[in-house]
Amino acid sequence: MKKSLTNNFGLKLLAFLSAVIMWFLVVNIDDPVRSETFYNIPVTVINEEVVTESNRTYQIVDDTQNVNVTVTAKGSDLKKISEEDIVATADMKELSLGTQVPIQVSIEGKDYEEAYSTPRNLQVKIDEEAKNNFPITPTTSGTVREGYVIGELTANPEKVTIRGPKTVISSISRVCAEVNVSGLSENSTLEATLVLYDANDNVIDQTLLANNLGEEGVTVDVELFQTKNVSLKFDTSKLSAAEGYSISGISYEPQEVQVSGEEDVIKELSEIRIPAEELERTGLTQRTEVTIDIQPYLPDGVTLTDVNANNVVVVISVNQPGARSFEVSTSSIVVNNLADDLELSYGNTVDLEIQIKGPDEVLDNLSLAKKVSIDLKNYTAAGTYKVPVTVDVPKGCNVVNEVTVEIILKEVQDETTDQDGQEGVE
């Protein structure tokens, strides 16, 4: 009996091996080994003192501070692994060639066969450490409440010491403390964000930089001024026409300006008075334009909201003997023979002054609607031109002043041309 049991030992061993193989195949079919890639895993640098203790610092280059990690494991184990479980480290003690640090990948508490990063090395640039002092320029974003403008901005502190790689420190062109003033309606102190710019106005990454601002950071004192629209008043007492002529009046643009200042000052201000000396003219025989700088006549503590709005153009209208002045808007000029490939504008010209002589009863009822025109048949190229104006007047009347208007002709843009200046495809 015992002999019969041992006689088929080879068959039994073969059966056992077959069972093991079958088990292995079934397990791998049901739970196969596969690979999965996890993206943008941050790399943690350890033992930085290897570099920093020798008064040097480093920069991570080639965007290797984040890597992709490929993990190989059984399907059931792979499902239990997430991005948060993966740790990628670069040990500065293993720095080689002065630029590369191998990246090691570990997944604590999880079963897996292999894990590696792409790229395999952290690329670094070793640099000398430097520091410098920079003035802080306060800047704003957003819009304050209507009726207010920003006055003085003051950064606290007014300068900052920044330390880091020498090449980065030397690239800093300006340091700004940026605050959002949206909806602000009173003087305020706001927490600011420190932003560094290079000479090309590109924002500089501050990851490897340190400053002396501490936990308090930087703030900006924002001073607000109230705004108000005020009219202009011109003294015309020293303005006169030649004998037989008369001043029909003046017009000016802008007719009012927006100013800003302390509330108590702005509240009492109703107009800006321009003295007679600015319009002192005698013996005028024709329409005259005068540009006046109103800046010197602003009260103390008052400024123009738009610093470029200080120049006011004053038009002095002069009537010839027996003539009457008519103002015609450039928008009502009839344009004849404008080339199809050109478009027309009048620049800063708004109104034309036309002086007409004739019987009073005719001039009393005269309308120049659709009777003022220009002919552009001789103006076929883009450019700026001064062209004569034709006025159709009733019998017995005549235009006594030479009337011209400055026009600007531009080429019409082809609607089928795209933003890159190439023809669109139909």
Side-chain angles (χ1 to χ4, degrees):
M1 181 69 178
K2 181 177 180 180
K3 187 177 181 179
S4 63
L5 289 175
T6 57
N7 284 340
N8 58 357
F9 176 77
L11 291 175
K12 291 180 179 178
L13 179 61
L14 180 61
F16 174 76
L17 292 175
S18 298
V20 170
I21 293 172
M22 289 296 295
W23 175 84
F24 181 79
L25 290 175
V26 170
V27 167
N28 278 275
I29 292 174
D30 289 344
D31 193 9
V33 174
R34 59 187 181 89
S35 297
E36 183 176 341
T37 301
F38 298 84
Y39 297 92
N40 294 318
I41 304 300
V43 178
T44 301
V45 179
I46 60 175
N47 295 317
E48 295 173 294
E49 63 274 9
V50 171
V51 174
T52 58
E53 283 180 351
S54 57
N55 199 33
R56 297 181 300 165
T57 185
Y58 68 91
Q59 299 177 60
I60 300 174
V61 297
D62 298 336
D63 294 327
T64 55
Q65 65 271 23
N66 291 298
V67 295
N68 300 331
V69 173
T70 301
V71 179
T72 301
K74 291 181 180 180
S76 58
D77 293 329
L78 204 54
K79 290 179 181 180
K80 300 175 183 178
I81 298 174
S82 65
E83 293 179 358
E84 291 74 17
D85 300 319
I86 301 173
V87 177
T89 58
D91 190 341
M92 277 296 181
K93 289 182 178 179
E94 298 182 26
L95 176 67
S96 63
L97 303 177
T99 60
Q100 296 183 351
V101 185
I103 298 173
Q104 302 296 329
V105 177
S106 61
I107 310 174
E108 192 70 28
K110 304 294 182 181
D111 293 326
Y112 63 97
E113 294 188 5
E114 183 186 20
Y116 63 89
S117 68
T118 305
R120 296 291 184 105
N121 296 300
L122 184 73
Q123 301 294 329
V124 297
K125 179 181 178 182
I126 305 300
D127 198 356
E128 293 181 27
E129 187 175 68
K131 67 177 181 179
N132 203 353
N133 296 322
F134 298 90
I136 300 176
T137 302
T139 60
T140 65
S141 63
T143 305
V144 298
R145 186 173 296 180
E146 186 177 357
Y148 295 87
V149 293
I150 296 174
E152 187 176 357
L153 298 173
T154 305
N156 300 303
E158 296 183 348
K159 63 181 181 179
V160 61
T161 301
I162 301 177
R163 186 179 71 255
K166 185 176 181 180
T167 54
V168 179
I169 296 297
S170 62
S171 71
I172 300 174
S173 175
R174 58 191 175 94
V175 176
C176 295
E178 299 186 353
V179 292
N180 190 325
V181 297
S182 297
L184 207 63
S185 61
E186 60 183 2
N187 296 343
S188 302
T189 298
L190 304 176
E191 292 186 5
T193 300
L194 197 72
V195 183
L196 315 182
Y197 294 92
D198 63 17
N200 296 318
D201 273 346
N202 298 313
V203 176
I204 296 174
D205 184 8
Q206 300 183 54
T207 304
L208 298 177
L209 301 178
N211 59 57
N212 64 338
L213 295 178
E215 295 182 358
E216 294 182 358
V218 60
T219 61
V220 172
D221 295 333
V222 182
E223 182 181 33
L224 293 187
F225 288 144
Q226 281 198 325
T227 63
K228 186 178 184 179
N229 292 332
V230 296
S231 59
L232 305 175
K233 185 175 182 179
F234 291 87
D235 186 340
T236 60
S237 61
K238 294 186 177 182
L239 185 63
S240 63
E243 185 176 353
Y245 294 78
S246 62
I247 304 293
S248 62
I250 67 169
S251 60
Y252 44 90
E253 187 65 35
Q255 296 183 5
E256 62 179 17
V257 292
Q258 188 178 73
V259 296
S260 61
E262 296 289 350
E263 183 178 359
D264 55 344
V265 177
I266 291 295
K267 186 177 180 180
E268 300 299 324
L269 183 63
S270 60
E271 63 184 13
I272 298 174
R273 298 187 178 187
I274 314 300
E277 287 73 20
E278 287 286 3
L279 286 180
E280 185 173 0
R281 303 288 188 281
T282 59
L284 295 180
T285 60
Q286 60 183 0
R287 183 177 185 267
T288 303
E289 286 190 4
V290 182
T291 300
I292 297 176
D293 182 2
I294 65 170
Q295 184 73 44
Y297 307 112
L298 297 177
D300 292 339
V302 175
T303 59
L304 292 168
T305 303
D306 180 358
V307 295
N308 298 314
N310 59 305
N311 289 326
V312 176
V313 177
V314 180
V315 177
I316 306 168
S317 298
V318 179
N319 285 337
Q320 295 192 26
R324 192 174 299 180
S325 293
F326 294 83
E327 283 194 352
V328 176
S329 170
T330 52
S331 62
S332 65
I333 297 176
V334 177
V335 180
N336 297 318
N337 298 313
L338 174 62
D340 292 338
D341 60 342
L342 297 176
E343 57 185 9
L344 166 71
S345 67
Y346 294 100
N348 295 325
T349 305
V350 177
D351 296 312
L352 301 177
E353 182 184 60
I354 301 172
Q355 294 189 19
I356 302 174
K357 279 186 178 181
D360 288 342
E361 61 272 15
V362 176
L363 298 181
D364 287 342
N365 299 301
L366 178 60
S367 171
L368 295 182
K370 298 184 179 181
K371 295 182 179 180
V372 179
S373 62
I374 55 176
D375 190 346
L376 302 182
K377 65 180 179 181
N378 295 324
Y379 303 89
T380 57
T384 300
Y385 306 96
K386 183 170 285 189
V387 301
V389 175
T390 301
V391 184
D392 182 16
V393 296
K395 186 177 180 180
C397 297
N398 64 289
V399 178
V400 297
N401 64 321
E402 181 183 0
V403 185
T404 61
V405 65
E406 186 175 81
I407 65 169
I408 301 171
L409 296 178
K410 294 182 179 180
E411 293 182 358
V412 176
Q413 294 295 320
D414 188 350
E415 293 182 358
T416 63
T417 301
D418 61 21
Q419 293 180 351
D420 294 327
Q422 298 182 355
E423 292 186 0
V425 179
E426 293 184 357

